[in-house]
Amino acid sequence: MKLYFELLKYPVFTMEHVSQYYDNIESARSAVKRLIKSGFVVKIRNNLYTCISGETDAPLANRYQIAGAITPTSYLSHHSAMEYYGISDQIFYEVYVFSNTMFRDFEFDGYTFCYVCSKCNEGVETVKYSGGV
């Protein structure tokens, strides 16, 4: 249970985050499996997890935080970025993610995360106090 409270600090985490609390990777994997089985953690995709909120029983991470954590070079694009900034008022269920590293499109929590090949990194900004976006 102590691990769950430590992982709540990260909206989206990987096995590398968990392994810092254990001596070997197998112990970390076992701990994450126990948390998933007990309903405290949910798997987003391979090596990408989020905690379940005790208040709402919903995933802690939102779609923007997940998009920013898919790969080290991923960031929001197209209408997904406009939604984040509040410029667009229409809600889409596709989240477009630019990345230098290819990934397969996947679905989580009703949203489809779509890969778009990044050809230019100009204009990309990291928002302060955004919680990982």
Side-chain angles (χ1 to χ4, degrees):
M1 194 64 162
K2 182 180 176 187
L3 177 63
Y4 171 74
F5 292 112
E6 291 295 324
L7 294 176
L8 282 173
K9 297 175 187 174
Y10 308 104
V12 180
F13 61 90
T14 63
M15 201 55 69
E16 286 77 29
H17 290 106
V18 180
S19 65
Q20 69 185 354
Y21 300 105
Y22 290 92
D23 293 334
N24 60 36
I25 194 72
E26 290 304 318
S27 297
R29 285 187 183 129
S30 177
V32 169
K33 285 181 184 177
R34 282 192 307 273
L35 286 172
I36 290 172
K37 189 174 181 179
S38 62
F40 291 113
V41 169
V42 66
K43 182 177 179 179
I44 298 170
R45 64 186 308 247
N46 287 342
N47 199 26
L48 206 60
Y49 306 90
T50 187
C51 291
I52 297 295
S53 171
E55 298 172 347
T56 62
D57 284 334
L60 191 65
N62 62 38
R63 62 184 181 262
Y64 309 117
Q65 293 168 325
I66 293 170
I70 295 171
T71 67
T73 60
S74 63
Y75 56 93
L76 290 169
S77 67
H78 296 81
H79 65 77
S80 302
M82 298 298 134
E83 282 181 62
Y84 176 75
Y85 283 112
I87 296 171
S88 171
D89 59 354
Q90 184 176 0
I91 297 175
F92 291 93
Y93 291 96
E94 293 85 22
V95 180
Y96 290 99
V97 182
F98 270 13
S99 178
N100 293 335
T101 308
M102 189 186 152
F103 63 88
R104 291 182 186 228
D105 296 355
F106 65 95
E107 188 174 322
F108 177 75
D109 201 28
Y111 295 98
T112 303
F113 294 84
C114 304
Y115 166 75
V116 180
C117 181
S118 176
K119 302 209 189 273
C120 176
N121 288 335
E122 193 168 321
V124 177
E125 61 182 59
T126 303
V127 183
K128 289 185 179 181
Y129 312 112
S130 65
V133 177

